[in-house]
Amino acid sequence: MTAESAPIPDRYDPAAVEQRWYPVWEQRGYFRADPTSPGKPFSVVIPPPNVTGSLHMGHALNNTLQDVLVRMKRMDGFTTLWVPGTDHAGIATQVVVERQLAAEGKTKGDLGREAFVERVWRWKEQSGGTIIRQLKQLGASCDWSSERFTMDAGLSRAVREVFVRLWEEGLIYRDDYIVNWCLRCQTVLSDLEVEREERDAEFVYIKYGPLTLGTVRPETKLGDTGLAVNPKDRRYTEYVGRTLEVPSVEGTVTMRVVADPAVDPDFGTGVVKITPGHDPVDFEIGRRHDFPIRTVIGFDGRMTALAGKYAGLDRFECRRRIVEDMKVLGLIERIEPYRHAVGVCYRCKTVVEPLVSKQWYVQVKPLADEAQKAVREGRITIIPRGWSKTYGHWMENIRPWCISRQLWWGHRIPAWHCEADGSVHVSRTTLTACPTCGGPVRQDEDVLDTWFSSGLWPFSTLGWPDHTPELRTFYPTSVLVTAFDILFFWVARMAMLGLRIMGDVPFRDVYIHALVRDAEGQKMSKSKGNVVDPLVMMDRYGTDAFRFTLVALAAQGRDIRISDERVEGYRNFANKLWNAARLVLSNLDGYDARRARKAPPALADRWVRSRLAATTRTVREALRRYRFNDAASAVYQFLWHEFCDWYLEIAKGPLYRPASPAERLATQHALVTVLETTLRLLHPFMPFITEEIWQRLPGAGESIMIAPYPRVRRGQLDAAAERDMAAVMEAVAAVRNIRGEMRITPGASLPVTIRPAPGDGALFAATAGLVGSLARAEVRVDPTAARPQNAALAVVGASELYVDLAGVVDFAAERARLDKEIRRAADAVAFIEAKLGRPEFVERAPAEIVEKERQRLHEQRELHRKLEASRGWISDGG
Ligand SMILES: [Zn+2]
Ligand SMILES: [Zn+2]
């Protein structure tokens, strides 16, 4: 594919270009990382999407940002590894397959554990990993040869090894604990998996003998084993330590009253009942004061046998009944409406029931201390900085991590229970008999929390526990790019486990990006119908335009608002680039790079090279600091406004008009080299179009994606050229303004005289032709010129510029028009001044309205001043 073999098409066709290049890159092995390469390592692990997932806007943003960094570093000569993969996603995947079974009229119980797990694997092979194909469509340059899955053999081995080690170190233990139980999903949820939802409820004040207390869950009354008050609450001092005989729904019960600082004296009556079996706070108070646990609600959400006559009732049905019964018995003082936040399952929104059960835990406190220290000491840098505080606070208050889940799909806990003596044995290998008594054993039924395996991701994917070359070269990884909503679920756990198991941080930098919202700033949701599908965007506007939009909007700490208009705008940018490339490519006849290098560059050639160098510096600096939007904006501004708007216009001179061969050659050379370098600079953002154009340039190498990323060398910034070009551009802009203000047709050539300030004579003498061709003017430079009669005046730096209007403007008509407009502007000024002069307006109107009026006043005054100036140019006859 060279310039000779195929002329560049008139229109840019993203679909064709994208389909062509991705397979080429992949087949040539550019994405693959060789750990024995001499380059400095740069490594990234992908936040593994759920294997059930398909690409949404969050993925698109997350992976585009990673790809920008990875492509840039690869071009910069680093040995670059981007590890892709997917997460087995415990609940999510199990639910998908259970639904399939339900459609066949079956349950997972009908299949049995082994057959069910087999069925999930089959589903994974056939339907999982849609998202991998979509990532390729996005242009993600992952090393697909190192793709991993959290349940593959290697990672499963890593999971088991870590579990056994933590057990041996006493950091994993089993305990009765109060957990968040989802009745529908039939599993434990971590605190992070419980969402809060505002709900209306009833606050029921129940009499407990001489005391009264309020509750929103009266059914848990059946599980009460004590009462508590705050030790500082004087109202109840006399009851503390006493045992009360309290009439209740099933006769009289005895209740010990204790004082505990966990009780809030301002909540309700200041007395609380202690139900250790059904409330996490009560569970802790119960432990402190030795209250027994009474489980009255079962794992199915129905009342247990301990609930007496309510046994078998659904928990909410029981709530209704018990309130009625208490009313009859006169045990209710009053009922108040109450709105409060209820914990619900993040997946199915069922109200979570706190229940006590035997679970597996990690004692994370010592791990959290290390992980917190790593951030405090700067071994891990979180960007933007503000997140470090949130991270630190969470680590500070961390609780034991419940890692067991009552699912079938996941890493089964490597522990065996002896059926003879009840002992528990954790083992790296499968046990068939009890190591102590030789009796029969059965493996623990539970699987591990999905985050347990993804917490190992930065080293398990590199081959740990084996000491692989990949692990030696690429751990710690360079940067983790992720959204803030999994900072604790995932980032914190990777930090804890990486430090513990590897003895070093899992990543040096953590870049936390914002959320993608709709054009109005609303969170996208299926129910709102405002979900933007990245695949549709890529299809409609091209992948490069879509990627560039995401990067251009990825400002730190600000959510991204995406809309069709935005992406369309960057499609125009892609088209602009394409057209610029066409112009360059169709004017290269006779171009010879070797000879061209010797041709002396013109001012504009030097200028455009200097601007490119400055842009390169900005882009590099911005990417180094993860200021993606600044990088995108710099390259956009340069390419559109400096290269296309100015330089291409200037270049048309030597290209189209008779010019000396050397001048033409110098221009061609600047065009080719600047375009080529800009393409490399832009490649990480827009990989496809840049490769397509780059391949057509003379002297192109194998692929732009392995060409060097532009660097600024000494001497490339040319301050003199920038200063001189600034004067030229200012002069051109001045003539264009006058043309606009005096309504002179664009085609008319204007007679322009420049009276240069001392010192600028040579500059304007040398650039008169350039200013003239860009401004459509006949430019004369005369240090002694006086302003002609009826001439427009502009000041450029310290020089003066006159445009002779005689014969170009119809003075009579123009005078009439200007007079009318001057009157109109003056009226507007007077009107707004009067309005702003009224104190009742300034004081009562909203601040932004007043500010708007002030702005309008400023604009009208400015307009008035300009019109007066124009009028001045033609005021004295003619
Ligand atoms: Zn649920
Ligand atoms: Zn045994």
Side-chain angles (χ1 to χ4, degrees):
M1 238 168 287
T2 60
E4 287 78 31
S5 67
I8 183 164
D10 289 353
R11 282 175 53 90
Y12 177 53
D13 176 9
V17 168
E18 289 162 21
Q19 276 159 29
R20 182 153 61 242
W21 286 112
Y22 197 91
V24 171
W25 295 329
E26 199 179 356
Q27 280 152 26
R28 291 191 191 162
Y30 296 154
F31 303 157
R32 231 170 285 152
D34 176 0
T36 61
S37 292
K40 269 172 65 181
F42 180 83
S43 57
V44 179
V45 289
I46 205 169
N50 286 352
V51 68
T52 48
S54 58
L55 195 78
H56 60 53
M57 287 303 275
H59 296 127
L61 170 68
N62 179 256
N63 288 289
T64 297
L65 297 181
Q66 288 176 81
D67 197 44
V68 168
L69 295 174
V70 165
R71 282 181 185 269
M72 187 268 209
K73 289 290 181 180
R74 192 184 286 117
M75 291 174 78
D76 230 5
F78 285 75
T79 299
T80 305
L81 171 66
W82 184 10
V83 180
T86 47
D87 192 286
H88 67 279
I91 297 184
T93 312
Q94 179 157 330
V95 164
V96 167
V97 178
E98 278 185 273
R99 256 191 226 130
Q100 277 189 352
L101 287 177
E104 297 164 21
K106 283 187 262 180
T107 68
K108 69 180 199 299
D110 298 338
L111 266 69
R113 184 165 190 150
E114 211 170 305
F116 177 77
V117 170
E118 228 167 78
R119 170 104 187 210
V120 183
W121 274 110
R122 211 159 63 229
W123 175 88
K124 190 253 172 193
E125 301 309 334
Q126 285 162 5
S127 321
T130 306
I131 195 159
I132 296 295
R133 284 195 300 282
Q134 295 168 335
L135 286 173
K136 292 183 179 186
Q137 203 180 330
L138 187 68
S141 61
C142 302
D143 181 351
W144 298 107
S145 70
S146 62
E147 182 183 339
R148 304 306 295 261
F149 177 55
T150 47
M151 288 258 286
D152 69 26
L155 268 60
S156 298
R157 197 175 133 230
V159 164
R160 187 172 279 204
E161 180 62 30
V162 170
F163 186 94
V164 174
R165 282 197 196 180
L166 294 178
W167 168 264
E168 286 169 353
E169 290 168 19
L171 290 169
I172 282 184
Y173 60 96
R174 289 180 86 213
D175 198 5
D176 269 336
Y177 204 72
I178 189 136
V179 292
N180 307 299
W181 182 263
C182 177
L183 305 167
R184 193 163 174 281
C185 300
Q186 281 291 301
T187 187
V188 161
L189 301 171
S190 73
D191 290 346
L192 294 169
E193 290 164 329
V194 176
E195 288 178 355
R196 298 280 148 191
E197 254 181 29
E198 288 282 319
R199 300 251 174 116
D200 285 315
E202 285 182 339
F203 205 63
V204 184
Y205 286 89
I206 307 171
K207 291 180 200 161
Y208 278 69
L211 302 174
T212 297
L213 60 84
T215 178
V216 282
R217 298 196 301 156
E219 73 282 9
T220 61
K221 173 182 170 52
L222 300 164
D224 291 349
T225 51
L227 297 174
V229 297
N230 189 286
K232 289 185 183 150
D233 197 336
R234 293 252 181 97
R235 292 173 292 177
Y236 303 114
T237 318
E238 59 168 306
Y239 296 104
V240 174
R242 281 174 56 189
T243 299
L244 306 176
E245 299 275 319
V246 175
S248 186
V249 281
E250 285 189 298
T252 301
V253 293
T254 56
M255 292 270 163
R256 184 152 55 91
V257 184
V258 298
D260 193 286
V263 179
D264 176 4
D266 297 327
F267 180 77
T269 59
V271 182
V272 295
K273 60 197 198 56
I274 302 303
T275 320
H278 298 288
D279 183 277
V281 177
D282 294 7
F283 180 82
E284 299 291 348
I285 296 177
R287 280 209 164 165
R288 286 196 283 274
H289 301 277
D290 240 355
F291 286 131
I293 291 168
R294 235 176 105 85
T295 300
V296 291
I297 303 170
F299 289 87
D300 56 357
R302 297 193 172 274
M303 305 309 287
T304 66
L306 284 177
K309 64 176 176 186
Y310 303 99
L313 286 181
D314 171 81
R315 56 182 171 159
F316 295 135
E317 174 60 16
C318 174
R319 179 177 298 177
R320 215 177 48 74
R321 288 269 197 97
I322 202 166
V323 170
E324 274 170 24
D325 292 352
M326 285 192 291
K327 275 185 193 160
V328 172
L329 293 167
L331 294 175
I332 292 192
E333 199 185 273
R334 62 184 194 281
I335 296 178
E336 289 172 356
Y338 188 61
R339 192 166 171 78
H340 69 145
V342 179
V344 299
C345 169
Y346 79 110
R347 181 155 294 280
C348 72
K349 313 297 174 200
T350 303
V351 174
V352 163
E353 188 64 46
L355 286 173
V356 175
S357 68
K358 196 65 105 189
Q359 299 291 337
W360 292 87
Y361 286 89
V362 180
Q363 176 50 272
V364 276
K365 191 64 192 158
L367 281 64
D369 290 345
E370 284 300 309
Q372 199 183 350
K373 214 167 90 190
V375 169
R376 216 172 35 231
E377 290 175 355
R379 281 177 288 140
I380 296 174
T381 307
I382 302 181
I383 303 129
R385 287 265 171 196
W387 287 108
S388 313
K389 222 187 206 165
T390 320
Y391 170 94
H393 185 255
W394 189 75
M395 286 296 191
E396 197 80 37
N397 295 289
I398 200 161
R399 304 210 309 157
W401 174 18
C402 176
I403 48 171
S404 40
R405 295 290 182 275
Q406 290 63 47
L407 301 173
W408 283 355
W409 176 241
H411 297 102
R412 196 159 171 185
I413 289 179
W416 283 263
H417 303 265
C418 172
E419 303 202 317
D421 60 15
S423 58
V424 178
H425 306 274
V426 168
S427 168
R428 285 181 179 82
T429 53
T430 301
L431 296 185
T432 50
C434 174
T436 38
C437 76
V441 289
R442 54 174 177 81
Q443 189 173 0
D444 199 282
E445 294 291 325
D446 292 353
V447 298
L448 287 165
D449 178 10
T450 310
W451 300 103
F452 191 88
S453 49
S454 48
L456 316 180
W457 190 247
F459 52 92
S460 62
T461 52
L462 298 175
W464 188 90
D466 294 333
H467 294 282
T468 60
E470 286 79 8
L471 193 66
R472 275 198 302 275
T473 305
F474 296 117
Y475 191 92
T477 64
S478 311
V479 57
L480 181 83
V481 178
T482 188
F484 65 81
D485 53 352
I486 51 175
L487 182 61
F488 307 130
F489 276 117
W490 192 46
V491 180
R493 278 155 185 172
M494 283 190 289
M496 293 192 286
L497 290 164
L499 281 158
R500 186 78 192 184
I501 304 296
M502 296 295 296
D504 199 353
V505 296
F507 25 68
R508 308 263 184 229
D509 289 353
V510 178
Y511 173 71
I512 297 187
H513 57 71
L515 293 179
V516 185
R517 296 174 180 270
D518 74 1
E520 277 72 50
Q522 304 256 5
K523 206 168 167 177
M524 291 185 192
S525 78
K526 275 186 193 145
S527 56
K528 271 189 233 151
N530 63 346
V531 175
V532 179
D533 183 347
L535 299 165
V536 171
M537 289 285 134
M538 290 192 258
D539 199 42
R540 201 175 285 164
Y541 302 106
T543 299
D544 285 324
F546 174 62
R547 285 172 57 119
F548 200 86
T549 309
L550 293 172
V551 178
L553 296 177
Q556 282 183 13
R558 209 178 314 140
D559 280 342
I560 290 176
R561 296 185 178 193
I562 197 130
S563 65
D564 275 68
E565 293 72 43
R566 295 276 199 182
V567 193
E568 209 178 333
Y570 291 112
R571 179 185 61 187
N572 298 343
F573 177 56
N575 289 338
K576 186 97 177 167
L577 171 61
W578 186 257
N579 291 333
R582 279 180 53 224
L583 182 92
V584 174
L585 289 168
S586 53
N587 285 288
L588 290 184
D589 42 304
Y591 175 62
D592 173 347
R594 270 220 331 261
R595 280 199 305 126
R597 229 167 281 149
K598 291 178 199 136
L603 170 62
D605 304 339
R606 286 166 47 217
W607 168 78
V608 76
R609 286 205 176 93
S610 180
R611 292 307 308 145
L612 173 59
T615 306
T616 303
R617 188 143 83 177
T618 307
V619 171
R620 273 190 174 273
E621 178 61 12
L623 287 180
R624 192 178 66 75
R625 299 170 62 201
Y626 304 100
R627 297 190 167 273
F628 290 93
N629 58 320
D630 291 345
S633 158
V635 68
Y636 178 93
Q637 292 298 330
F638 170 74
L639 194 51
W640 190 300
H641 295 300
E642 297 184 311
F643 186 69
C644 291
D645 286 356
W646 285 99
Y647 188 72
L648 287 187
E649 287 310 305
I650 294 169
K652 282 176 188 167
L655 291 181
Y656 297 164
R657 281 186 283 279
S660 77
E663 219 180 307
R664 186 179 155 81
L665 215 48
T667 303
Q668 285 177 327
H669 194 53
L671 283 172
V672 169
T673 53
V674 170
L675 178 60
E676 194 273 340
T677 310
T678 310
L679 290 171
R680 280 186 283 126
L681 195 61
L682 184 60
H683 175 75
F685 309 90
M686 296 184 135
F688 298 104
I689 190 174
T690 49
E691 179 78 288
E692 179 71 18
I693 297 171
W694 193 82
Q695 292 285 339
R696 295 167 182 274
L697 288 175
E702 203 181 306
S703 165
I704 193 172
M705 74 166 281
I706 53 165
Y709 202 64
R711 258 178 207 293
V712 186
R713 276 188 296 275
R714 221 182 319 158
Q716 276 182 328
L717 289 165
D718 186 338
E722 294 216 16
R723 194 186 53 231
D724 291 354
M725 257 311 278
V728 169
M729 289 158 82
E730 214 183 315
V732 171
V735 177
R736 285 180 182 162
N737 273 344
I738 290 167
R739 189 188 291 277
E741 275 158 29
M742 300 306 289
R743 307 187 157 192
I744 301 164
T745 53
S749 178
L750 297 175
V752 169
T753 304
I754 295 178
R755 196 180 80 181
D760 281 350
L763 164 64
F764 282 114
T767 56
L770 182 57
V771 173
S773 74
L774 291 170
R776 276 182 189 266
E778 288 299 325
V779 180
R780 200 166 62 86
V781 180
D782 179 358
T784 61
R787 184 184 155 203
Q789 218 187 18
N790 296 321
L793 163 77
V795 178
V796 176
S799 306
E800 288 197 340
L801 180 150
Y802 315 122
V803 179
D804 192 348
L805 301 173
V808 186
V809 171
D810 174 348
F811 288 126
E814 199 52 24
R815 265 197 292 270
R817 179 185 75 87
L818 285 169
D819 285 341
K820 207 167 111 197
E821 288 197 20
I822 288 166
R823 268 198 309 279
R824 195 183 294 158
D827 286 351
V829 168
F831 179 78
I832 308 166
E833 275 175 346
K835 195 171 186 180
L836 286 168
R838 286 201 304 273
E840 67 270 22
F841 171 74
V842 180
E843 280 154 28
R844 287 198 207 139
E848 68 263 28
I849 301 275
V850 176
E851 189 42 48
K852 219 177 210 165
E853 286 300 311
R854 291 212 169 103
Q855 184 61 33
R856 256 187 63 205
L857 178 61
H858 174 75
E859 284 164 13
Q860 289 298 322
R861 279 182 178 153
E862 192 57 19
L863 176 66
H864 188 264
R865 195 189 59 71
K866 274 194 180 166
L867 291 165
E868 286 276 18
S870 303
R871 183 65 180 77
W873 299 333
I874 52 171
S875 61
D876 32 14

